[in-house]
Amino acid sequence: RRSRGRIDDGDLMEERNQVKTQFQELENASEYCETHYFKNTQIRNPHLISPNKFWEEFAAHIVAEGDTHKFLSNNFIYASNSTTELIAMLALLDLPFDEPSHTIGIDGDRGIKVKTASNMVVFKKEIKEAEADLDTNLLLIHRFYEYTNPDSKKKLKEFLTHQVYT
């Protein structure tokens, strides 16, 4: 509003707040770098990926099909001994990168019925009742170690401030 040629300060602030901000101060950028693989001699170890059922089945697939496409294996669980092996296994399995819409329904008294739109890996957990002899005695031992020296066998006499324990 203008009154006698002047702009009211309250109205000016309202108009200023309604205008979309064109420039905004940002925080300083943080720079991150990956250092695990760079100059790490341990990753060039031939024992990082050891022979197992998964790699045996993958080799047989290459011989039979002539390429690596459309490879699925229920032995993928054996290829998880290192991060390198795990990433290689996930890259080779014919699993989608996106999440297609699968149909899940109840199949009477038999459980669930899944109609898949693509390849998938399903994990299931089954709980069964078991007989057990319950004992009311419980012995619990918890040992604390210095985080920087987990192999230390010395008994701690006191906990120090600014010291991490495991």
Side-chain angles (χ1 to χ4, degrees):
R1 293 181 214 166
R2 291 184 183 226
S3 58
R4 294 186 192 162
R6 294 186 324 189
I7 299 174
D8 187 11
D9 289 341
D11 291 338
L12 183 59
M13 290 306 291
E14 273 185 41
E15 288 181 26
R16 185 177 283 175
N17 290 337
Q18 290 176 359
V19 174
K20 184 177 179 181
T21 305
Q22 298 295 321
F23 175 78
Q24 183 178 2
E25 285 287 333
L26 297 176
E27 299 176 7
N28 290 338
S30 298
E31 183 176 336
Y32 298 99
C33 65
E34 207 292 314
T35 59
H36 181 72
Y37 284 98
F38 185 67
K39 294 184 180 178
N40 186 348
T41 58
Q42 293 176 345
I43 64 164
R44 293 179 192 92
N45 183 345
H47 303 291
L48 278 178
I49 299 179
S50 57
N52 56 44
K53 291 180 183 181
F54 175 80
W55 298 110
E56 180 183 330
E57 191 172 343
F58 180 62
H61 174 79
I62 292 174
V63 169
E65 299 294 325
D67 66 0
T68 61
H69 292 80
K70 298 182 181 175
F71 174 68
L72 286 175
S73 172
N74 58 351
N75 293 317
F76 70 93
I77 198 71
Y78 297 112
S80 59
N81 296 321
S82 68
T83 306
T84 304
E85 184 176 30
L86 187 64
I87 291 171
M89 176 267 299
L90 287 172
L92 293 172
L93 287 178
D94 188 27
L95 296 172
F97 288 108
D98 57 349
E99 185 179 354
S101 58
H102 304 295
T103 307
I104 300 173
I106 298 174
D107 189 19
D109 294 336
R110 296 176 58 197
I112 63 170
K113 187 175 188 177
V114 179
K115 184 176 181 183
T116 63
S118 67
N119 295 331
M120 70 185 303
V121 175
V122 177
F123 293 95
K124 77 170 191 159
K125 183 177 182 179
E126 189 172 337
I127 301 173
K128 293 183 178 180
E129 188 174 343
E131 295 292 328
D133 293 330
L134 296 178
D135 188 3
T136 57
N137 298 324
L138 178 67
L139 175 64
L140 180 67
I141 298 173
H142 192 110
R143 294 191 175 111
F144 291 93
Y145 299 101
E146 294 177 14
Y147 181 73
T148 56
N149 189 9
D151 296 328
S152 172
K153 300 295 182 197
K154 69 178 183 177
K155 289 186 178 181
L156 296 174
K157 295 180 180 171
E158 64 179 328
F159 290 102
L160 304 174
T161 58
H162 305 294
Q163 176 68 39
V164 178
Y165 299 96
T166 57

